[in-house]
Amino acid sequence: MKAFFRNPLTVIGCLLFGGLVGLALAAPWLPLADPNAADLRNRLAPPGSENHLLGTDTLGRDILSRLVWGTRVSLAVAAAATLVAAVIGSLIGLLAGFFRRWIDTLLMRGVDMVLAFPYLILALAIVAVLGPGLLNALIAIAIVNIPFFARTVRGTTVSIARMPFVEAARLGAQPRRRILFAEVLPNVLPVIIIAMSTTLGWMILETAGLSFLGLGAQPPQADLGSMLADGRRVMLVHPHVGLLPGVAILILVIGINLIGDGLRDWLDPRLEGGAQSAPGAATAVTAKTAAAGEPEPEEAAPVLEVKDLRVEFGEGRKPVVAVDGVGFSLRPGECLGLVGESGSGKSVTAMSLARLVASPPGRITRGAISIDGVDTLRASNEAIRRLRGAAIAYVFQNPFDSLHPLIPVGRQIDHTLATHTTLNSGERHKRILDLLDRVALPDPKATARALPHQLSGGQCQRVAIAMALANNPKILVADEPTTALDVTVQKRVLDLLARIREEHGLALLFISHDLGVVRAVADRIMVLRWGRVMEEGDATKLIRSPKNPYTRKLLESSPRLGKGPKQDLGLSRPEIDPV
Ligand code: ADP
Ligand code: MG
């Protein structure tokens, strides 16, 4: 509830909508005049008259009373129509998306037929056939809204029905009906609820529209649309008669939309605040950061220098401090291993280097970072963009997530090359084949044409490494590059990284939760916990005599192969247990 009401706009929406709904529900008990009692001597009384707080309409009926009762009717019709459309539409969408094949064709082509007619014209045609009246208006707007639900729900169902947990339920020999309603439906439900919340506002407008045209509520019954039509006739002389129901419609629809937005943010916290909080081009930096300082002109000056870095998430009094006081430097050809349990701030540290932490919610509040002589915390967005994928490149944990699923991998490498170099397409093509060859992919030509799903995890990770190497980076950040791979592939990727580091004199920042993996590649190791540096030092020394108790624990928890004769899996350092 707290999360739901955190957004002030949602609170306003609830107050507006809740206020009107409360009034409408309480109508029978409120001391209101009879909404249909005409008093012809008292026609068109202005607001504030005696006995008529909001005045009277063309027949002398009390506007306040008609507003409250009219809102009740409009709301009831709109809510009922939404519910009918949602239930029928969602059912069509679920069945079509889950069973596919001929059921899908049949149902969705039917929906397409409804969609082929202009929306309001179809509603008018339905009412024309059924005859005017509120119930028929309800049926009409429910029917025209069914396709919206069917299409939205079908799309979501198709993607959810392919997920592994649905496969698992199938393997568990559950009946298909149960899978559909127990496994798929709960995951589609948020989509349905959000669609309902946006549709309700529409439905109020549509009911009012039909009533305004005289096809919905029939006299003397009041609903907001028929009151509007009544007011239209005297709009120039007595504007309040039409204005008041108009304002009621406005408040209802705005209230519903604000609640709908709040509901969406609440059901999917990743969307928080909508477009306003979409991450900017680079992580926000607050004023307290220091200048990175000029790089020393000596031979082996560090290509990467981080000092006293602090990164926070979230707003308000209690931000989450993800990284606090982390500092290190990296020289060409050097490998620093960053270790720590999950959530210790490794990835946030790595992403901060190229200001890739999403902002909001993240921001860098202290420190200095220098990449190849560029002070990244003070550089312009454009300067940072030129660094990314050129001076500093990244390889992430899951290669399938970091490659575009529908573009051949060769073309994806080409994009990075085209962004940062002036090579023509022939030269780029040659370079791509050369890169794929360098990461030891057997058939570079065939691989370049392949889509990610046609390659194995290890091959994909090699492609990701090739892409990272495309512009001869000085720094390669490998964030858990082997975690998603099986052990033998892991080892080959580690060997590859070690070889590339030697060949290219690359500075490697290697991140893993597993000390065993890190010590196979790193010269120096830094242990992180709760965003702070626990211990840092030469890899061999740190492993042999860890000073910090946390490092010792990490060492103990690192899996080793059994105590039998040492198996040489050909790691670059044979004295190290393979992981
Ligand atoms: P790891 O060491 O496993 O890579 P991360 O660097 O990804 O850990 O995360 C470190 C901490 O940063 C997390 O424990 C979390 O508290 C915080 N954090 C990361 N991303 C976000 C985010 N988008 N919003 C809020 N907090 C975050
Ligand atoms: Mg991580």
Side-chain angles (χ1 to χ4, degrees):
M1 278 297 120
K2 223 163 117 192
F4 181 62
F5 287 116
R6 201 175 38 201
N7 186 345
L9 287 177
T10 314
V11 177
I12 295 176
C14 286
L15 289 179
L16 292 178
F17 184 64
L20 278 182
V21 170
L23 268 182
L25 287 179
W29 298 281
L30 293 176
L32 292 168
D34 179 352
N36 299 328
D39 176 4
L40 292 177
R41 279 165 306 167
N42 232 341
R43 295 173 61 223
L44 296 167
S49 335
E50 201 186 341
N51 294 333
H52 301 293
L53 195 59
L54 294 179
T56 57
D57 68 2
T58 48
L59 295 176
R61 296 172 294 197
D62 184 53
I63 292 187
L64 176 63
S65 168
R66 283 180 76 75
L67 261 187
V68 174
W69 283 97
T71 304
R72 193 176 154 97
V73 171
S74 291
L75 268 175
V77 172
T82 306
L83 203 65
V84 172
V87 170
I88 300 178
S90 305
L91 202 62
I92 293 177
L94 275 172
L95 294 174
F98 186 69
F99 292 109
R100 308 296 297 273
R101 301 154 70 90
W102 63 269
I103 299 184
D104 191 17
T105 314
L106 207 68
L107 289 174
M108 293 322 282
R109 292 301 82 77
V111 165
D112 287 347
M113 258 148 64
V114 177
L115 272 180
F117 294 94
Y119 195 68
L120 202 59
I121 309 252
L122 181 62
L124 288 175
I126 295 172
V127 179
V129 172
L130 298 178
L134 265 182
L135 183 66
N136 294 342
L138 187 158
I139 295 173
I141 57 173
I143 291 177
V144 296
N145 275 289
I146 286 176
F148 168 63
F149 282 96
R151 297 214 141 249
T152 314
V153 170
R154 178 186 174 274
T156 317
T157 307
V158 167
S159 63
I160 285 177
R162 286 209 201 109
M163 286 192 177
F165 69 89
V166 176
E167 297 286 315
R170 280 207 183 102
L171 284 174
Q174 289 194 31
R176 291 210 281 181
R177 202 169 358 106
R178 229 219 352 271
I179 297 176
L180 178 57
F181 290 107
E183 309 275 339
V184 177
L185 179 61
N187 290 288
V188 184
L189 213 52
V191 176
I192 300 178
I193 293 174
I194 291 168
M196 281 175 78
S197 73
T198 49
T199 312
L200 186 63
W202 265 113
M203 296 281 201
I204 285 180
L205 292 176
E206 282 156 21
T207 320
L210 288 180
S211 291
F212 182 83
L213 297 174
L215 300 170
Q218 298 302 306
Q221 189 181 36
D223 91 328
L224 293 175
S226 62
M227 290 180 70
L228 214 53
D230 188 40
R232 186 183 62 104
R233 277 180 266 151
V234 291
M235 193 160 68
L236 290 181
V237 251
H238 303 283
H240 71 278
V241 183
L243 214 53
L244 289 168
V247 169
I249 295 177
L250 184 74
I251 292 179
L252 270 179
V253 175
I254 287 185
I256 291 170
N257 286 351
L258 290 179
I259 293 176
D261 284 352
L263 207 59
R264 187 202 53 208
D265 292 352
W266 181 54
L267 288 172
D268 192 348
R270 285 167 304 175
L271 298 176
E272 199 169 317
Q276 285 155 345
S277 72
T283 313
V285 177
T286 59
K288 271 181 268 171
T289 50
E294 286 295 302
E296 296 135 55
E298 55 178 296
E299 187 88 323
V303 279
L304 170 65
E305 246 188 314
V306 179
K307 285 182 200 149
D308 194 25
L309 180 70
R310 182 179 166 105
V311 186
E312 297 175 9
F313 284 96
E315 310 286 324
R317 274 161 289 154
K318 262 194 163 177
V320 176
V321 181
V323 173
D324 192 10
V326 171
F328 57 88
S329 64
L330 209 53
R331 286 163 209 287
E334 201 177 22
C335 174
L336 174 69
L338 206 53
V339 211
E341 66 195 87
S342 170
S344 53
K346 307 179 299 288
S347 296
V348 173
T349 305
M351 300 293 264
S352 304
L353 301 179
R355 302 248 312 262
L356 283 168
V357 174
S359 197
R363 61 191 181 279
I364 297 171
T365 55
R366 212 175 57 208
I369 298 173
S370 148
I371 292 176
D372 197 21
V374 179
D375 184 346
T376 52
L377 299 193
R378 288 165 185 231
S380 66
N381 287 348
E382 181 52 31
I384 299 221
R385 200 179 65 79
R386 280 197 303 268
L387 276 182
R388 293 174 179 165
I392 181 165
Y394 285 78
V395 176
F396 294 108
Q397 172 168 347
N398 191 337
F400 293 111
D401 286 348
S402 38
L403 293 172
H404 191 298
L406 299 178
I407 300 179
V409 296
R411 281 251 307 286
Q412 300 190 46
I413 301 179
D414 192 48
H415 291 166
T416 14
L417 280 173
T419 313
H420 289 286
T421 65
T422 50
L423 302 176
N424 66 34
S425 70
E427 290 166 331
R428 292 204 303 267
H429 184 68
K430 253 176 56 202
R431 177 139 177 81
I432 291 167
L433 295 186
D434 174 50
L435 281 165
L436 291 175
D437 182 50
R438 239 187 292 168
V439 293
L441 280 162
D443 185 353
K445 269 199 185 130
T447 311
R449 278 195 302 269
L451 291 170
H453 74 268
Q454 294 166 328
L455 300 172
S456 72
Q459 286 173 323
C460 270
Q461 196 60 306
R462 281 163 202 271
V463 170
I465 294 173
M467 195 188 288
L469 294 178
N471 294 305
N472 290 322
K474 304 219 161 128
I475 307 158
L476 181 65
V477 180
D479 190 349
E480 312 246 13
T482 58
T483 308
L485 307 174
D486 66 64
V487 181
T488 45
V489 182
Q490 228 181 56
K491 195 199 136 299
R492 289 202 207 112
V493 169
L494 288 182
D495 285 348
L496 174 68
L497 282 173
R499 204 190 75 218
I500 286 167
R501 170 161 74 104
E502 252 164 53
E503 283 173 10
H504 297 248
L506 208 65
L508 181 62
L509 180 61
F510 187 93
I511 300 177
S512 177
H513 61 276
D514 190 338
L515 246 179
V517 178
V518 168
R519 64 180 177 178
V521 285
D523 308 315
R524 277 184 302 133
I525 292 181
M526 191 157 96
V527 182
L528 275 190
R529 189 185 200 188
W530 303 319
R532 297 206 191 92
V533 181
M534 294 283 116
E535 187 169 1
E536 198 210 335
D538 179 78
T540 339
K541 262 192 232 155
L542 188 135
I543 299 284
R544 202 166 293 149
S545 51
K547 291 193 198 70
N548 194 294
Y550 179 63
T551 315
R552 245 171 275 149
K553 281 229 177 84
L554 271 184
L555 265 175
E556 282 160 21
S557 66
S558 169
R560 294 152 199 235
L561 290 186
K563 292 202 175 106
K566 274 227 168 101
Q567 296 166 340
D568 186 6
L569 287 186
L571 278 177
S572 45
R573 294 180 189 191
E575 79 275 11
I576 285 162
D577 296 340
V579 185

